[in-house]
Amino acid sequence: MPPDAPSPHPLLAALEAWDLHAFSRPPEAADELLVWVVPARIADVCRYLRDEQGFERLSGLTSIDRYPLEPRFEAVYLLHSISRNIRLKLKVALPGADPALPSVTSVWEGANWYEREAFDLFGIRFGGHPNLKRILLPEEWQGHPLRRDFPVHGHKYTYQND
Amino acid sequence: MSDPEISTAAVQAEHEAPPPATRRMVLNMGPQHPSTHGVLRIILELDGEIVRQAEPEIGFLHTGIEKQAEALTWQQVVTITDRIDYLSNLGNNLAYVLPVEQLLQIEIPPQAQWMRVLLTELSRINSHVVWLGTHALDLGAMTVYFYCFREREDILRIFELFSGQRMMTSYIRIGGLALEPPRGWQQAVRKFNDALPSKIDEYEDLLTANPIFMRRVQGVGHVPLDRLLALGVTGPMIRAAGLKWDIRKAEPYSGYEKFDFDVPVYQESDVWTRYRVRLEEMRQSQRIVRQALEGMPGGPWKADAPHVVLPDREKMKTQMEALIYHFKIVTEGFRVPAGEAYVPTESPRGEIGFFVVSDGTAKPLRVFMRTPSFGNLQALPALFEGHLVADSVAALGSMDFVLGDVDR
């Protein structure tokens, strides 16, 4: 008798049953709960997860820059359900040229600053955000420092003798 | 001479304009305001004494710590985690090393785990006494401040004993601890810990049931629980709003499941209950420290992972292999297998966790710092709007944020 295949997490099964087209890769069980979402559907998926699956809070939102690979950016949503005590990670692959996503501020109010931060430091635009402007850096700042092609010392100094 | 008609019109316009009390005034609070605890600027729109709109402006302390982390080796990053939330340095160290150790798949020996819990709880007490002192000072109670800083001094001396540093300790490292615990540390910790409950009683004598203090805090800064959750608030503010959620209990890390402590919960979600929650948390932390002291297991204080942990000095002088490992770790650091990890932990302010991404090299690809103050500060308009300006200082203090933690 062949060994049983690991049964998928009930949450992943529920997501698959809900709408498979919202996911860029089919949800599969791994060490942690991770789901890849189609960029345009992120707000729908988040609303479904909050209303139907009990994810009351967005723990954090950030991005990873895979420069020089393409698709360059991965937007990462760290979701948490206190009532079910599980954490879920959503990921969205974004191109290097003009990365843009729908905002999830309508789902969780708290996404506001995290999206502003990702806009400020990575240059990812969030469509439908109520106040998308720089949050940590001054308004007149040039560039997005957390991109991998932005030098640690900034563009102003070269430090040739270091 | 002025035109009489124009001046009459001007006077008439002045009379027809709404009386000053209904006009909105924009007031700038900070970034150098003493009760903003650091450099936070809040733009208040006032209608008389009522705050109609509050807009926090952050970033004055932004030093690009997440960017710097990408230029340092994995172990070096520990030193900059001290600097984000400078009141809970050891808690930050722990929150950073846990996901990295998860990626490295190294086992931490029990003594190191218990020592980490003990030190993290001491820094929780440290953070809460600083909060209490400054919060009470904002509300006009000066004596509490001196009492609190007396205890803080004792805790900082203990940290100095362990690590040689009072604040930027970097004592919890990937693979265990930075140094062997010093001789006589038990006596120092026990002396402080045994005296602490009576010190907390002293604070309570001054504040709890003090009518002036109660008037300033009861019913002030109320926000319902679901709004707080939607805003991303964590920690004592959530527990003061009636949700029994503590990451040390819900998702135990570093052996917290072996300790016996209670999670204080109150329902009212105002400045008063936040004060009660934090005071009770100090007592619970004291209990945890006592248990850690009494049950401290023996054995090694760093992991058996020669490619990550620096070898003993003695071994370096006698074993070639140890010398090679030492040279490799010091010159080029150690590689961390490609992958990502996030381990949430409970800081004095709420959920702190580091989302670390490795591409298999000796430096992190990305270190995202999910800091509690950043999430909590978003709730500031909800606490301010519709309330008196005078209450805003009390509400601000009850949030207990650290600007270094917000801006990173």
Side-chain angles (χ1 to χ4, degrees):
Chain A
M1 214 175 116
D4 289 337
S7 61
H9 193 279
L11 176 67
L12 297 181
L15 280 172
E16 207 163 341
W18 173 64
D19 186 356
L20 198 56
H21 299 297
F23 307 106
S24 50
R25 298 177 202 178
E28 54 187 61
D31 300 346
E32 50 178 354
L33 291 171
L34 164 66
V35 183
W36 287 84
V37 182
V38 173
R41 301 291 306 275
I42 184 71
D44 301 339
V45 172
C46 286
R47 187 165 291 108
Y48 167 76
L49 285 166
R50 183 196 63 180
D51 294 341
E52 308 291 330
Q53 297 292 343
F55 283 89
E56 304 97 345
R57 53 184 293 266
L58 176 74
S59 177
L61 193 169
T62 186
S63 175
I64 306 168
D65 184 1
R66 298 274 182 191
Y67 180 80
L69 301 179
E70 195 66 39
R72 179 172 169 181
F73 295 105
E74 286 170 18
V76 184
Y77 294 70
L78 302 168
L79 271 53
H80 180 211
S81 167
I82 297 175
S83 49
R84 297 172 70 180
N85 201 17
I86 47 175
R87 284 175 190 267
L88 170 70
K89 190 160 65 183
L90 300 183
K91 275 196 176 183
V92 183
L94 292 170
D98 192 24
L101 269 175
S103 166
V104 297
T105 43
S106 58
V107 186
W108 295 287
E109 236 183 311
N112 187 328
W113 281 17
Y114 287 104
E115 288 182 351
R116 277 178 69 186
E117 194 190 356
F119 167 74
D120 190 356
L121 304 177
F122 284 99
I124 297 174
R125 284 186 305 103
F126 291 88
H129 189 285
N131 183 24
L132 194 65
K133 58 179 190 188
R134 288 192 184 272
I135 183 165
L136 293 173
L137 298 174
E139 291 282 323
E140 64 274 13
W141 189 273
Q142 298 289 317
H144 303 285
L146 274 184
R147 292 188 172 193
R148 295 288 285 184
D149 52 355
F150 193 99
V152 177
H153 297 298
H155 288 296
K156 205 170 165 184
Y157 306 102
T158 51
Y159 295 94
Q160 277 165 355
N161 297 326
D162 281 2
Chain B
M1 262 182 75
S2 61
D3 189 342
E5 273 197 23
I6 290 173
S7 60
T8 315
V11 168
Q12 205 160 7
E14 182 71 21
H15 277 281
E16 277 167 9
T22 60
R23 255 186 258 158
R24 298 271 176 102
M25 183 175 89
V26 175
L27 186 71
N28 184 42
M29 188 174 173
Q32 306 297 347
H33 192 280
S35 67
T36 56
H37 300 284
V39 276
L40 168 68
R41 181 179 175 219
I42 308 166
I43 303 156
L44 299 172
E45 205 177 301
L46 304 177
D47 178 359
E49 281 287 303
I50 310 281
V51 178
R52 289 292 173 208
Q53 217 177 9
E55 197 195 335
E57 199 183 300
I58 62 171
F60 294 95
L61 270 183
H62 180 65
T63 47
I65 284 181
E66 288 178 14
K67 183 73 178 174
Q68 287 176 50
E70 292 170 11
L72 299 174
T73 63
W74 288 95
Q75 193 72 277
Q76 285 172 333
V77 174
V78 174
T79 58
I80 55 172
T81 63
D82 280 331
R83 286 154 174 82
I84 54 171
D85 176 354
Y86 41 79
L87 292 180
S88 165
N89 327 76
L90 289 149
N92 302 346
N93 295 166
L94 181 62
Y96 168 70
V97 302
L98 287 173
V100 181
E101 285 165 357
Q102 192 179 315
L103 286 177
L104 284 163
Q105 294 183 323
I106 50 180
E107 189 85 18
I108 302 303
Q111 195 195 356
Q113 287 199 8
W114 284 55
M115 197 60 95
R116 286 173 173 190
V117 168
L118 183 142
L119 290 166
T120 316
E121 291 306 318
L122 279 179
S123 43
R124 189 182 313 277
I125 299 170
N126 174 30
S127 171
H128 280 353
V129 291
V130 173
W131 161 78
L132 180 65
T134 51
H135 183 46
L137 189 66
D138 287 346
L139 299 176
M142 198 161 205
T143 315
V144 186
Y145 179 81
F146 295 116
Y147 280 17
C148 288
F149 270 64
R150 179 187 63 186
E151 271 68 79
R152 172 180 157 80
E153 193 58 35
D154 289 343
I155 299 177
L156 292 183
R157 287 217 181 95
I158 293 173
F159 290 166
E160 191 178 6
L161 183 70
F162 272 95
S163 67
Q165 281 280 335
R166 284 158 59 85
M167 285 181 76
M168 303 303 157
T169 50
S170 299
Y171 187 64
I172 297 174
R173 297 278 174 89
I174 298 165
L177 305 171
L179 301 160
E180 192 176 351
R183 221 175 290 162
W185 68 269
Q186 289 97 335
Q187 285 84 339
V189 175
R190 185 169 293 122
K191 185 166 167 242
F192 167 78
N193 204 49
D194 288 349
L196 186 67
S198 66
K199 305 279 175 64
I200 301 173
D201 291 341
E202 281 182 4
Y203 313 149
E204 291 223 53
D205 280 346
L206 288 169
L207 295 175
T208 315
N210 174 343
I212 303 171
F213 182 73
M214 306 254 291
R215 284 273 180 93
R216 295 267 344 242
V217 296
Q218 275 185 328
V220 171
H222 171 78
V223 182
L225 175 65
D226 50 350
R227 182 91 203 278
L228 287 178
L229 280 176
L231 281 162
V233 175
T234 50
M237 282 178 79
I238 286 285
R239 291 191 281 279
L243 183 66
K244 193 169 183 169
W245 172 54
D246 188 314
I247 297 171
R248 291 175 293 172
K249 287 274 190 200
E251 297 155 279
Y253 52 91
S254 192
Y256 264 108
E257 66 278 2
K258 299 189 188 82
F259 293 88
D260 178 30
F261 62 99
D262 301 322
V263 179
V265 179
Y266 289 84
Q267 302 298 327
E268 287 83 355
S269 186
D270 57 3
V271 180
W272 168 245
T273 49
R274 286 169 207 146
Y275 159 80
R276 296 303 301 261
V277 164
R278 292 203 180 93
L279 243 66
E280 188 53 37
E281 276 188 14
M282 279 167 31
R283 293 187 194 276
Q284 297 302 329
S285 294
Q286 192 266 349
R287 272 178 71 192
I288 299 175
V289 171
R290 199 185 61 220
Q291 291 167 40
L293 256 177
E294 285 168 359
M296 181 65 70
W301 46 272
K302 55 187 181 183
D304 180 24
H307 60 291
V308 173
V309 179
L310 285 178
D312 289 335
R313 277 275 161 209
E314 206 47 52
K315 276 191 186 161
M316 274 171 60
K317 289 171 189 159
T318 52
Q319 296 176 8
M320 190 62 201
E321 210 175 34
L323 191 64
I324 292 171
Y325 273 128
H326 182 272
F327 181 77
K328 296 269 286 181
I329 294 170
V330 170
T331 51
E332 59 190 44
F334 48 82
R335 282 162 216 272
V336 172
E340 353 176 310
Y342 177 78
V343 180
T345 66
E346 185 78 26
S347 103
R349 274 159 272 286
E351 176 184 333
I352 186 165
F354 289 69
F355 177 67
V356 298
V357 184
S358 171
D359 54 357
T361 59
K363 288 177 182 177
L365 178 76
R366 173 92 174 99
V367 180
F368 168 62
M369 304 173 176
R370 193 272 170 224
T371 55
S373 303
F374 187 81
N376 291 2
L377 195 59
Q378 277 196 87
L380 187 136
L383 264 82
F384 274 37
E385 284 164 15
H387 301 288
L388 293 170
V389 184
D391 287 343
S392 67
V393 173
L396 192 74
S398 79
M399 297 175 76
D400 185 27
F401 50 80
V402 165
L403 262 301
D405 203 24
V406 175
D407 295 340
R408 292 157 306 191

